[in-house]
Amino acid sequence: MVAFFRRSGGAPVAAEAQAPRPAEPRTLIVSSLYGTGWTPVEGDGMLPPSKHLHLGRLDRYYDDAAGLLPAATVRHWEGSDVGVRYSGGVIVWARLWMFRTASGQSVAALSLGVNAPGSDERGTPPDDASYLRFLESLVDLLNTCRSLEVALGGVSLERRIDELGTETGVEQPFGVSRECHQLVAGPRLPDSCVGDERRLLIERLVYRTHRELQPSVETFDRPAELNKRPGATVVVGPYVSLMFGMGKEEGNTAFVSVAQLVASAARLRYIGDEAHRNLRYFRDAQRRPQGRALPDAEKRRILGTVADALGDLELELSFSVEAAADISLLVPSVRVTSYHDTLFVQMGLRRKFRIVSRMLRRLARSIHAETTSLEARDRHGEDDRRRRWEAAYLYLATIPLAAALALGYLGMNASQVVSDRSMWADEYRGVYLAIGGVVLGAVVMPGIVWVVQLVRRAVQAQRRERWERVTMRVRDVTR
């Protein structure tokens, strides 16, 4: 094939046209990312994602934010080493990843390179019809990977994840958690797949089902910025994301974003579980064990422990979940930000974050109210002690008063006082009885004050117990 171009001021010159580009490879990458509850130690071979993934011009931004984005390590297997119940395609390679986020959360990931049956060495299928059948069969592979029914080198996937976790510093790995998101990245969909056929294919992959689906309002999202490229089909659901017709850089950055947000989802669930556990401690501080009131000192200790734990949880919530919501501060890319923000919303992290945040705030307010009640009770006790001390001082003051009255009477220059008569004479009995009455009143007065305070506290305790029984009954009904 010959093309012509015109040189300035001269005749047309013939030139060889560029050779057509080879056919685009059709190998799909199916990645499943699993959250964990592991807290590994530092180090142990973790590298920035740009050391394992081709991120194009964004490499330097991911390297600059290496301490804030997930670091990773990876292990490779050939397709022949992968054991999985899947016959709709050919698995050509497998990679097992272990990510670690800035919060210390670990995320395991399994990536499988899959070709359609009958594909050539570049993964190109024989025709579009076989390629579409291959895409529909990915539903089975997604469900199989979600349930960890995969073996690598004759060892179960769950055990391989535990082994890689141990290699990366986890002391006692105990399997993956319920958080999982899957990413399917590959070339553009065939042009013959349009209309309802394309819609059904996308919905079956996103919902991981072969059932017939009726046309309805889509619950997943299509990021507008990512779907601007001709031939691109990007769909983000709560559990599955599809990226067809995008470049390798976009697929790899999406892979890192999924790892970051799956870790945030696992961390958010951990914070919610800890909030419920601290709520049980708070309720224990309000219960009356075996009919006895819990001592105030024990209540104060429990409330202090719960308040300290809530402060740590609020800090975790802010830096492990809320900070991961915005990646534009780290990577200035509209496409990366568009996918990251859409996935954050689709996974329900924004809604769950608000719920857990309200839980922590309300529990903190209840603890503050209970602590204020204890402080008021302490102030009331201090008032009682002050009154008793005042009564004691009054009693002590009556002793010199009684002596002064007696001595003053005996020293009077009166006919009733005879100087040569004993001070214990019967004639002075009435005076001593009057003085004794004054002293007795001063002695009885603190006791009267103490009895009044005791009765008042008993009445208040009965009212508080009656109110707590009503409150606990309401809680049991509404639970």
Side-chain angles (χ1 to χ4, degrees):
M1 181 176 180
V2 179
F4 295 90
F5 65 92
R6 184 175 296 277
R7 187 167 50 194
S8 61
V13 179
E16 289 292 333
Q18 292 184 353
R21 297 180 63 183
E24 184 181 9
R26 294 290 184 111
T27 300
L28 269 80
I29 301 177
V30 180
S31 300
S32 302
L33 294 95
Y34 312 95
T36 70
W38 305 341
T39 53
V41 297
E42 298 294 331
D44 297 308
M46 290 290 184
L47 296 175
S50 60
K51 304 301 181 183
H52 302 289
L53 299 169
H54 177 64
L55 303 175
R57 296 180 178 179
L58 301 177
D59 272 348
R60 64 189 186 96
Y61 297 112
Y62 281 87
D63 290 339
D64 292 342
L68 301 175
L69 292 173
T73 187
V74 61
R75 301 292 181 267
H76 302 266
W77 277 271
E78 296 294 333
S80 57
D81 296 329
V82 181
V84 59
R85 293 180 181 178
Y86 173 65
S87 58
V90 180
I91 298 177
V92 294
W93 53 262
R95 295 170 187 164
L96 184 62
W97 302 78
M98 186 63 67
F99 289 93
R100 182 185 303 162
T101 62
S103 62
Q105 198 79 16
S106 293
V107 174
L110 173 67
S111 297
L112 300 176
V114 190
N115 285 337
S119 301
D120 58 16
E121 66 277 0
R122 293 182 56 82
T124 305
D127 50 46
D128 289 347
S130 61
Y131 183 58
L132 289 175
R133 289 193 298 270
F134 161 65
L135 291 178
E136 292 180 356
S137 71
L138 290 178
V139 173
D140 299 328
L141 183 60
L142 290 172
N143 287 320
T144 300
C145 293
R146 176 63 185 90
S147 57
L148 302 176
E149 297 176 358
V150 182
L152 299 175
V155 180
S156 66
L157 175 60
E158 192 168 5
R159 183 176 173 185
R160 287 292 188 188
I161 292 175
D162 290 345
E163 291 176 354
L164 187 56
T166 303
E167 294 177 13
T168 55
V170 179
E171 295 182 356
Q172 293 182 348
F174 46 87
V176 299
S177 59
R178 69 194 72 168
E179 292 77 22
C180 177
H181 192 85
Q182 295 175 295
L183 175 65
V184 179
R188 60 187 295 174
L189 296 175
D191 295 334
S192 59
C193 182
V194 294
D196 289 341
E197 184 181 5
R198 178 179 290 239
R199 178 186 61 81
L200 286 175
L201 174 63
I202 291 174
E203 289 183 352
R204 287 174 178 174
L205 290 175
V206 171
Y207 298 133
R208 296 180 297 207
T209 180
H210 287 293
R211 295 179 180 178
E212 293 291 337
L213 300 174
Q214 297 180 356
S216 60
V217 179
E218 295 179 349
T219 58
F220 45 82
D221 201 353
R222 300 172 183 264
E225 190 62 37
L226 293 173
N227 284 283
K228 287 182 178 179
R229 176 180 295 184
T233 303
V234 180
V235 177
V236 181
Y239 302 108
V240 178
S241 294
L242 307 178
M243 300 190 73
F244 295 110
M246 301 297 293
K248 183 183 296 184
E249 294 84 0
E250 286 84 356
N252 290 337
T253 56
F255 186 55
V256 177
S257 291
V258 174
Q260 178 82 2
L261 295 183
V262 168
S264 297
R267 203 66 175 173
L268 186 60
R269 181 182 55 81
Y270 163 78
I271 294 173
D273 293 343
E274 287 296 307
H276 283 287
R277 187 170 64 87
N278 284 279
L279 175 62
R280 289 194 294 269
Y281 290 158
F282 175 70
R283 287 176 175 173
D284 290 342
Q286 293 182 316
R287 289 193 176 97
R288 294 175 173 270
Q290 299 178 358
R292 297 180 295 103
L294 197 67
D296 289 348
E298 183 66 16
K299 280 187 178 182
R300 197 173 288 106
R301 185 191 65 80
I302 294 176
L303 294 176
T305 302
V306 175
D308 183 64
L310 285 183
D312 295 339
L313 292 178
E314 289 180 351
L315 192 64
E316 271 305 308
L317 185 65
S318 178
F319 284 91
S320 300
V321 181
E322 189 178 18
D326 189 5
I327 200 174
S328 61
L329 297 174
L330 306 177
V331 183
S333 171
V334 177
R335 292 182 177 180
V336 174
T337 303
S338 178
Y339 177 80
H340 193 92
D341 294 346
T342 304
L343 183 61
F344 186 84
V345 175
Q346 279 292 317
M347 291 181 66
L349 293 179
R350 179 178 297 175
R351 174 179 54 84
K352 297 173 184 176
F353 170 81
R354 292 173 180 172
I355 293 174
V356 174
S357 180
R358 285 197 299 266
M359 288 169 52
L360 295 179
R361 287 199 303 268
R362 289 171 180 172
L363 183 56
R365 290 173 185 172
S366 298
I367 292 175
H368 178 71
E370 189 70 18
T371 305
T372 303
S373 175
L374 289 176
E375 292 176 353
R377 201 177 305 171
D378 291 342
R379 288 194 297 268
H380 185 70
E382 291 176 358
D383 292 340
D384 291 344
R385 285 191 293 272
R386 179 179 56 79
R387 293 189 183 96
R388 288 195 295 270
W389 277 109
E390 289 175 353
Y393 292 151
L394 178 61
Y395 168 70
L396 294 176
T398 57
I399 296 177
L401 176 61
L405 290 175
L407 296 177
Y409 177 78
L410 296 176
M412 292 175 60
N413 188 12
S415 60
Q416 288 82 4
V417 179
V418 180
S419 60
D420 58 351
R421 188 178 300 172
S422 173
M423 63 180 299
W424 305 113
D426 294 339
E427 289 79 1
Y428 302 142
R429 185 179 304 169
V431 176
Y432 290 139
L433 288 176
I435 296 174
V438 174
V439 175
L440 181 62
V443 173
V444 173
M445 185 60 65
I448 295 175
V449 173
W450 179 78
V451 171
V452 170
Q453 293 176 352
L454 187 63
V455 172
R456 184 183 302 170
R457 284 199 300 268
V459 172
Q460 292 176 351
Q462 290 178 357
R463 292 177 179 175
R464 187 166 56 251
E465 183 178 1
R466 190 182 308 112
W467 174 254
E468 289 178 354
R469 284 202 301 267
V470 173
T471 304
M472 295 302 295
R473 192 180 303 117
V474 172
R475 288 176 180 172
D476 293 337
V477 171
T478 57
R479 190 177 302 170

